Amino acid sequence: MTTVTAAERVVPGPRALAAHGLTTVRRHPLLVVLTLLVLVFQLSTGSFLDAGNLRGIATDAAALAIVAVPLALLVISGYLDLSVGSTLALGALTAGWLAGEQAQSPVVAVLGALAVGAAVGAVNGVLCCYLGLSPFIVTLGMLAAVRGLAQQLFPLPLSGFGDGFAWLGGARIAGIAAPVVIAAVVLVAGALFLAYTPTGRHVFAIGVNREAAYLSGIDVRRTPFALFVVTGTAAALAGAIKASVLDSVVAGTSGTGFELTVLTAVLLGGVALSGGSGSVLGVLLGVLFLGCLQNGLTLLSVPTFWQQMAQGVALVAGAALAYFGPRATR
């Protein structure tokens, strides 16, 4: 029988650290796959681990992480939002229109985008949480409806949003790109919310058994409704960041396919599509895996259709991993 000393309780020893590491790997097998992927790309390109390339991966993956975290919480609670790609586009167009044609301050432009995203999320939340409609059907319908609304409101491409608005996507905070800082804040907030708040535990309880959660006194409508609103707001924020980086937005193409990309990251991260299981650490690994995969294939000059095929295979693998893999509770 192993005896744990008082000192080891305060400062974990090598054996405790090794055991903790093995437990983390067992709960997140994607960590091993990600490590192998990085090694293969480094050996193939010779420049994958360059500091500049790693900064590029982090910046490109920031918008994905910002949406993936709240979407993962929504999936853990047993719901789903497939409209995030169109919400991202509408948020980007709203922010760009306010900053460009309306000459509003960057703060007003971003707040306008957030309000639009929150409104889309609220509609999804009311229909799914309070009226009991299928999240798959509702958000699939909203995917088309919001895209159509964006094209009707902004039929022409928007560009030229001004230097002030460019700060959101191009500024550096302590040497780190602003989108990466925002994504880090979202990741930490999501992890703390799940691990240390009663509402975070309610998210798991609702996802495991909605009826049992209701009988336990948990409000099974308000919590997922709030998560729908947060997910829509996060999608619009990601859209504003993309509009700031690109300084242009097109209603018909902005954010197309983003819903599949973010869902792939969530499933790869071990979040069960049936609800009740998942972690923010897993979501981070899923985001990094997709970012490394896309960047590495681009460095190797792999054609776009092969990259799309690789992402599709990753989505299937993520679904299989979520179904057959170890079930992480946080």
Side-chain angles (χ1 to χ4, degrees), residues 7-292:
E8 286 178 330
R9 292 192 186 98
V10 179
V11 181
R15 285 184 299 177
L17 288 175
H20 180 71
L22 289 174
T23 301
T24 302
V25 170
R26 279 198 295 267
R27 295 177 65 178
H28 302 285
L30 185 62
L31 186 59
V32 177
V33 180
L34 176 61
T35 303
L36 293 175
L37 187 73
V38 170
L39 288 176
V40 169
F41 282 143
Q42 174 60 24
L43 293 174
S44 302
T45 65
S47 60
F48 184 80
L49 290 178
D50 288 356
N53 191 54
L54 293 180
R55 283 196 295 269
I57 293 174
T59 303
D60 292 341
L64 180 60
I66 290 171
V67 183
V69 172
L71 180 64
L73 301 185
L74 190 61
V75 174
I76 292 173
S77 71
Y79 290 84
L80 181 66
D81 188 350
L82 295 175
S83 66
V84 290
S86 297
T87 307
L88 181 149
L90 188 58
L93 290 160
T94 302
W97 176 71
L98 288 172
E101 293 186 8
Q102 300 302 310
Q104 297 293 327
S105 71
V107 174
V108 172
V110 173
L111 289 177
L114 298 185
V116 168
V120 174
V123 172
N124 285 332
V126 168
L127 294 175
C128 297
C129 304
Y130 288 96
L131 298 184
L133 302 182
S134 165
F136 180 84
I137 296 174
V138 168
T139 58
L140 188 62
M142 288 295 285
L143 171 71
V146 173
R147 177 71 64 183
L149 177 63
Q151 291 176 317
Q152 177 66 29
L153 293 176
F154 306 101
L156 299 177
L158 301 179
S159 61
F161 306 142
D163 295 337
F165 186 69
W167 183 93
L168 181 63
R172 292 194 170 277
I173 301 173
I176 304 173
V180 178
V181 174
I182 296 172
V185 170
V186 172
L187 285 162
V188 172
L192 294 176
F193 171 78
L194 269 186
Y196 297 108
T197 68
T199 308
R201 309 311 300 173
H202 293 172
V203 170
F204 286 105
I206 295 171
V208 170
N209 191 319
R210 181 181 172 88
E211 184 176 356
Y214 173 77
L215 295 175
S216 300
I218 296 174
D219 192 330
V220 297
R221 293 177 174 175
R222 186 173 56 190
T223 299
F225 170 80
L227 291 176
F228 267 114
V229 175
V230 174
T231 302
T233 304
L237 175 60
I241 291 174
K242 285 185 172 292
S244 174
V245 171
L246 300 174
D247 198 33
S248 65
V249 188
V250 180
T253 59
S254 180
T256 52
F258 183 76
E259 58 281 345
L260 287 181
T261 303
V262 69
L263 185 60
T264 302
V266 170
L267 294 179
L268 280 173
V271 176
L273 198 56
S274 57
S277 178
S279 71
V280 174
L281 174 60
V283 173
L284 173 61
L285 292 176
V287 169
L288 292 177
F289 178 85
L290 288 183
C292 291

